[in-house]
Amino acid sequence: MILTLACVVVVLTGMKAAAGVLVPMVYAFFLAVLSFPLLRWLTRHKVPGPIALGITLLMNLGVLAGLITLAVRLLISFNSDLPRYLRGVQRNLTDFGVWLDENGIVGAKDTINSLFDWNTIIGYATQQDVMSRIGSMLGSTFGTLATVFAGLVMILILMMFILIEATGTQRRLAAVRTSGGPDFSGLLRSVSDIQKYLGIKTLISALTGLLAGAWCWFFDLQYPLLWAILAFVFNYIPAVGSTAASIPAIVEALVQHGGGAAIGIAIGYGGINFALDNFVQPTLLGNRFGISALVVVLSVIFWGWLWGPLGMFLAVPLTMVMKVLLDNSEEFRWISVAMSQKKMRRGEVEMVGYDLDENEIVGGGASTEKPGH
């Protein structure tokens, strides 16, 4: 066990040090997995291979370039208004502290005002530009803003070659196994699961962004399109992404229209996320992606620590790949079982994705677990 943990530390240290190379590779792989159905559909409809590949790459490039360009322009416009919004937040907090003082909480105003150095924050917001902020946010992964664009080019190039090599992958892996290599059939099956997950997650994220943008427009916010893009992008981060995406819209509603509008925006975001995450997404995904909710949250924290903000967006797909690899290992299959989502059947706890014998029980808690099983 000590040797295994030491090896894990060495591997993680290497992955963290090589984030500038590994992150573009991982993103290229998952974008290729997400784009392959379009390429396959074009080739099945008699479109020549090079043309189908070019159409697929152009669509990916068009979507990425369009979103990035639009988001940066909106952020530049929002950046000029940011000091005004910060002053509005300061004013509302001060008013809230005065209200607390008037209702018997002595010193609340001074305590709230001492929490933040507003002059420094507003001065920093005035001096810093959008691109430097983006670079600092991604600095934990890429280091500088220049390497962000180099990473995007690397992603597109790698994605092109992955799509070129995608056809015939199953036969190639079978040949590798026949030649005495490892069996990658489980990992290949996980690719289709990841493909389905990414496709459905993209659809859910698009619906989230569309509904959030419409809700912000209904409340007459100044940047509904920016908040729609933010909701779309951050919805890829499980558990915390949707909540984080709602904060700027709530702040803008508070500054522009007061507390009632801010509460309305918060209720709208909460309703959208609750409906899509608890009704639409489970209906589309089913029980096939059985990862515990706790594991999902921990994976977001782990991949965020390892590869920065960009690691959070792929926390679930990367965890799914890890789960498949562990599931195919006799020594560490128990970790895969522990990561699984549990469900109830006939009063007993089952782990999703594992078929149990009639008398075999996998306990999930004190209320249902039987001693000795």
Side-chain angles (χ1 to χ4, degrees), residues 40 47 49 63 72 88-89 97 121 174 196 202 216 218 259 311 320 337 355 365:
R40 183 173 53 192
V47 178
V63 171
V72 169
V89 173
I121 294 174
K196 181 180 178 182
T202 301
C216 292
F218 176 76
M320 289 169 60
V337 176
D355 296 327

Side-chain angles (χ1 to χ4, degrees), residues 5-19 22 302-303 305-307 322:
L5 291 175
C7 292
V8 168
V9 171
V10 172
V11 171
L12 292 181
T13 303
M15 291 175 66
K16 192 172 180 68
L22 292 178
F302 170 76
W303 291 108
W305 165 79
L306 188 67
W307 284 343
M322 184 183 300

Side-chain angles (χ1 to χ4, degrees), residues 165-301:
E165 296 290 331
T167 305
T169 300
Q170 190 169 2
R171 293 182 179 179
R172 178 175 301 180
L173 295 181
V176 168
R177 182 183 179 186
T178 305
S179 302
D183 183 10
F184 289 108
S185 58
L187 188 60
L188 191 62
R189 287 193 301 270
S190 74
V191 170
S192 62
D193 289 345
I194 294 170
Q195 194 176 77
K196 181 180 178 182
Y197 171 82
L198 290 176
I200 292 174
K201 193 66 177 179
T202 301
L203 175 62
I204 297 297
S205 298
L207 286 174
T208 302
L210 181 64
L211 294 174
W215 191 250
C216 292
W217 174 82
F218 176 76
F219 276 86
D220 195 28
L221 298 190
Q222 188 175 354
Y223 298 99
L225 189 56
L226 177 60
W227 308 141
I229 295 174
L230 195 68
F232 167 74
V233 173
F234 273 63
N235 195 64
Y236 282 95
I237 302 178
V240 297
S242 299
T243 302
S246 68
I247 294 175
I250 294 172
V251 171
E252 185 189 351
L254 177 66
V255 173
Q256 278 196 339
H257 305 296
I263 294 174
I265 290 291
I267 292 174
Y269 267 83
I272 291 169
N273 293 324
F274 179 81
L276 293 179
D277 291 343
N278 292 279
F279 296 104
V280 180
Q281 184 168 291
T283 301
L284 296 176
L285 287 177
N287 291 325
R288 194 172 182 180
F289 305 94
I291 300 178
S292 168
L294 176 60
V295 174
V296 170
V297 175
L298 293 177
S299 69
V300 172
I301 298 173

